[in-house]
Amino acid sequence: MNIMVLFNSLPGAAAQGLIWGIMAIGVYITYRILDVADLTVDGSMCTGGAVFIMMMLNGGNVWVCMAAAFAAGMFSGLVTGLFHTFMGIPAILSGILTQLGLWSVNLKIMGKANQAINVDKYDLLVSLRFIKNVPFYKNTILLVCLITVALIGLLYWFFGTELGCSLRATGCNDKMARAQGINTDLGRVLGLMISNGLVALSGSLLTQYQGFADINMGRGAIVIGLAAVIIGEAVFGRVFRNFGFKLLAVSFGSIIYYLVLQVVIWMGIDTDLLKLLSALVVAVFLAVPVWQERYFSKPVKKGGNS
């Protein structure tokens, strides 16, 4: 095995990890802040890519197209939120219903199962061809880093506002939040909208990066998002205590996930097993806190002394 092949592939894996990291931040909002299991992301990721690519192919500006992708993702989250709050459907089933419906919506948006876009003909922001041998201001890794930092800054500001704090209180203790006069249904819907907006934005960046949008591009996104969240918390949890740094840790977790996948591919492991490996990684990292508490923590005596 040629080690140089691995080193040459690492920048691309890091760029892809950064793009998926934005999606993982969206998953963090529902999974950790709202305490909601949202499966909409498998559909809204593709929705963002589909809206973006069709607008670009019809002469749209790249920033406007990305904003439209974000808005389409927010609308997907709104649908899931209304299913859950207005119709009383459990959160996990609401996400599944929206995800199922988005399959048809995404096909209608694109007109077929996939659409391609050429970076030479369209003014794209990022591309896999902008990893090496390009001016620094066009480098995909730098641009996605800047976008990620800007998004984390905006989220840090928002969750520090009264509305953001009420959203966090909703996920922390629903009954207590209602007792304090907080509209918890609004908080859930808003959180789902922001989450899926970020997921769709990530889908628009991924479409640019790989040069196409495909109906299956979001399949398994929730597993990758959870892997990034859990890896980020496991590796950086003791260091990053601040809310903004926790979001940054999720992005780092996504990069680590893709770097590990690249090493696995380089080692010659069958790529058909990657989804299985991803599921096992998530399962193990979810089990680690339970194992630590059950098997490795010291018993506490009645007097309070360990």
Side-chain angles (χ1 to χ4, degrees), residues 171-192:
C172 184
N173 191 321
D174 180 81
K175 293 180 180 179
M176 181 61 73
R178 281 202 303 271
Q180 297 297 319
I182 294 172
N183 188 334
T184 55
D185 286 348
L186 175 63
R188 285 197 186 90
V189 172
L190 182 59
L192 286 164

Side-chain angles (χ1 to χ4, degrees), residues 188-232:
R188 285 197 186 90
V189 172
L190 182 59
L192 286 164
M193 290 176 68
I194 295 172
S195 169
N196 284 282
L198 291 172
V199 172
L201 179 63
S202 174
S204 70
L205 287 168
L206 182 62
T207 296
Q208 295 177 66
Y209 179 79
Q210 62 191 12
F212 66 91
D214 184 84
I215 194 67
N216 292 314
M217 65 185 287
R219 180 169 291 181
I222 186 64
V223 176
I224 297 173
L226 287 174
V229 170
I230 295 161
I231 291 171

Side-chain angles (χ1 to χ4, degrees), residues 18 42 47 153 156 162 180 182 194 217 228 235 239 260 262 271 276:
L18 279 166
D42 281 21
T47 301
Y156 183 79
E162 184 176 347
Q180 297 297 319
I182 294 172
I194 295 172
M217 65 185 287
V235 176
V239 181
V260 170
Q262 197 61 52
T271 53
L276 175 61

Side-chain angles (χ1 to χ4, degrees), residues 288-304:
V288 164
V290 178
W291 291 342
Q292 285 179 336
E293 183 178 347
R294 187 177 298 172
Y295 303 115
F296 299 103
S297 61
K298 295 181 179 179
V300 178
K301 296 180 180 179
K302 288 185 177 180

Side-chain angles (χ1 to χ4, degrees), residues 2 28 51-53 60 66 79 81 115 129 138-140 154 170-171 190 193 213 232-233 245 267 269 299 301:
N2 189 347
Y28 181 88
V51 169
F52 174 84
I53 201 166
M66 288 171 61
V79 172
Q115 289 280 0
R129 290 165 57 181
K138 291 189 68 175
N139 186 279
T140 293
L154 283 171
T170 297
L190 182 59
M193 290 176 68
E233 289 178 341
F245 283 117
M267 291 173 64
I269 294 176
K301 296 180 180 179

Side-chain angles (χ1 to χ4, degrees), residues 85-162:
T85 58
F86 180 69
M87 299 179 69
I89 301 172
I92 191 166
L93 290 179
S94 299
I96 291 171
L97 288 172
T98 308
Q99 176 199 135
L100 184 65
L102 285 175
W103 176 274
S104 297
V105 172
N106 295 337
L107 273 176
K108 281 296 183 182
I109 292 173
M110 292 192 291
K112 54 183 181 179
N114 54 70
Q115 289 280 0
I117 191 166
N118 193 325
V119 68
D120 295 325
K121 296 180 180 179
Y122 296 90
D123 188 22
L124 301 181
L125 188 65
V126 298
S127 170
L128 56 83
R129 290 165 57 181
F130 295 164
I131 299 294
K132 299 177 183 177
N133 303 319
V134 293
F136 77 94
Y137 57 85
K138 291 189 68 175
N139 186 279
T140 293
I141 295 176
L142 175 64
L143 288 173
V144 181
C145 276
L146 292 174
I147 292 171
T148 301
V149 170
L151 288 173
I152 289 174
L154 283 171
L155 289 171
Y156 183 79
W157 167 81
F158 171 75
F159 281 104
T161 63
E162 184 176 347

